[in-house]
């Protein structure tokens, strides 16, 4: 949006109209909510009300374990009648290495050029060739901290994940890299956390990556009433208000 405004001003059209198309009709609500956490501006993406399974986070101790997970996931989806499957890697070199490691076991077409992709088959391709395509199911290969080590790479991960229409799975070893955690909390949340002793931001972060509230030692309903009253006093800064003294 900032780039659009700068471009409009440089062209002498600072009042040019801007229409924001926020609603996403591609993936299910669950996939869209997952993807918008990677987008940097989640308020600009509104999921369409089409329901489906939550994205699956599949961990493995090593590369052989990841290959096993990959083959199991593809087999399970094909058993459900899903054939439009894409396995997406970060780079072309990673796609070729995975193709060699599979040695034909998954019957995937390795895509090296976008116009060579047979969309009627299950495909293996790098992220650069996936943009603009859609698949019933997508597997992101090696989506751990060692592969996506920088926050600037969240856009690439967003492009990969948002190719999925109905199913999405991420396979990784070690730690799953959390590109961005954005509970959209106001400044009131840290205050309430301090008053109640409940680490709300930490809990929300863990919930967003798949942990359950009950597994963190918390239930539902109203929290117990503390034996004290807490008061939040607003502090207004006048540094940005010129010529105001009260």
């Amino acid at each position: 949006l900032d780039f659009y405004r700068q471009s409009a001003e440089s062209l002498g059209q600072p009042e040019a109209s801007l229409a924001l198309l926020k609603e996403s009709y591609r993936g299910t609500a669950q996939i869209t909510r997952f993807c918008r956490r990677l987008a940097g501006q989640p308020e600009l993406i509104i999921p369409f009300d089409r329901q489906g399974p939550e994205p699956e986070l599949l961990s493995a101790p090593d590369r052989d374990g990841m290959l096993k997970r990959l083959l199991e996931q593809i087999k399970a989806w094909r058993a459900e009648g899903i054939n439009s499957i894409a396995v997406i890697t970060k780079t072309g070199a990673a796609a070729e290495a995975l193709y060699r490691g599979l040695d034909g076991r998954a019957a995937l077409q390795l895509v090296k050029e976008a116009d060579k992709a047979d969309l009627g088959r299950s495909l293996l391709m790098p992220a650069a060739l996936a943009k603009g395509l859609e698949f019933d199911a997508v597997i992101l290969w090696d989506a751990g901290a060692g592969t996506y080590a920088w926050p600037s790479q969240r856009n690439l991960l967003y492009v990969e994940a948002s190719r999925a229409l109905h199913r999405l799975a991420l396979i990784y070893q070690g730690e799953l890299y959390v590109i961005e955690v954005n509970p959209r909390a106001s400044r009131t949340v840290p205050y309430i956390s301090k008053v109640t002793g409940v680490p709300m931001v930490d809990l929300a972060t863990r919930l967003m990556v798949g942990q359950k509230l009950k597994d963190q030692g918390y239930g539902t309903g109203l929290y117990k009433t503390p034996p004290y009253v807490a008061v939040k006093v607003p502090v207004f800064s006048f540094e940005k208000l010129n010529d105001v003294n009260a």
Side-chain angles (χ1 to χ4, degrees):
L1 293 179
D2 290 339
F3 176 76
Y4 174 84
R5 296 188 184 99
Q6 293 171 6
S7 299
E9 291 179 0
S10 66
L11 294 173
Q13 301 290 333
E15 303 301 324
S17 60
L18 173 64
L20 296 178
L21 304 178
K22 297 183 178 182
E23 194 157 17
S24 173
Y25 294 93
R26 176 181 287 143
T28 62
Q30 288 77 7
I31 292 174
T32 301
R33 283 196 293 266
F34 181 88
C35 291
R36 72 179 182 180
R37 296 204 299 266
L38 308 174
Q41 293 181 308
E43 68 278 2
L44 296 181
I45 305 175
I46 301 174
F48 181 63
D49 188 21
R50 185 171 74 250
Q51 302 301 312
E54 291 289 343
E56 299 180 70
L57 308 179
L58 307 175
S59 64
D62 51 33
R63 185 177 178 82
D64 288 340
M66 289 200 301
L67 286 171
K68 181 180 178 181
R69 285 279 202 174
L70 176 63
L71 292 169
E72 290 174 346
Q73 190 64 61
I74 292 174
K75 181 179 179 180
W77 281 346
R78 285 175 175 165
E80 296 180 35
I82 301 173
N83 294 308
S84 173
I85 301 173
V87 179
I88 302 177
T89 63
K90 181 182 177 183
T91 65
E96 293 188 22
L98 176 56
Y99 186 76
R100 291 192 299 269
L102 288 170
D103 193 24
R105 285 176 289 173
L108 298 175
Q109 178 197 355
L110 175 62
V111 180
K112 297 183 179 181
E113 299 178 41
D115 60 350
K116 303 296 184 181
D118 182 355
L119 299 181
R121 296 182 56 187
S122 297
L123 306 177
L124 168 59
M125 63 174 62
L129 299 181
K131 188 173 178 59
L133 300 178
E134 297 176 345
F135 304 92
D136 288 339
V138 168
I139 298 174
L140 304 189
W141 170 256
D142 196 13
T147 304
Y148 297 91
W150 301 100
S152 60
Q153 294 172 335
R154 66 168 179 246
N155 288 336
L156 180 60
L157 199 59
Y158 169 80
V159 169
E160 297 173 13
S162 61
R163 301 306 94 200
L165 295 175
H166 306 290
R167 300 294 183 86
L168 174 64
L170 286 76
I171 296 178
Y172 65 97
Q173 61 178 324
E175 297 182 0
L176 181 67
Y177 187 71
V178 181
I179 297 288
E180 178 183 13
V181 175
N182 194 348
R184 307 302 297 169
S186 70
R187 287 169 292 180
T188 302
V189 170
Y191 164 73
I192 297 298
S193 292
K194 187 174 183 179
V195 169
T196 61
V198 178
M200 296 183 181
V201 173
D202 182 63
L203 290 175
T205 301
R206 295 177 183 276
L207 289 170
M208 292 171 73
V209 296
Q211 295 187 19
K212 296 183 181 298
L213 191 62
K214 65 179 181 180
D215 294 338
Q216 300 180 57
Y218 292 88
T220 58
L222 297 176
Y223 197 65
K224 61 184 179 182
T225 303
Y228 50 83
V229 175
V231 178
K232 179 183 178 183
V233 179
V235 178
F236 299 105
S237 172
F238 289 91
E239 292 181 359
K240 296 182 180 180
L241 303 177
N242 298 325
D243 300 323
V244 175
N245 57 17

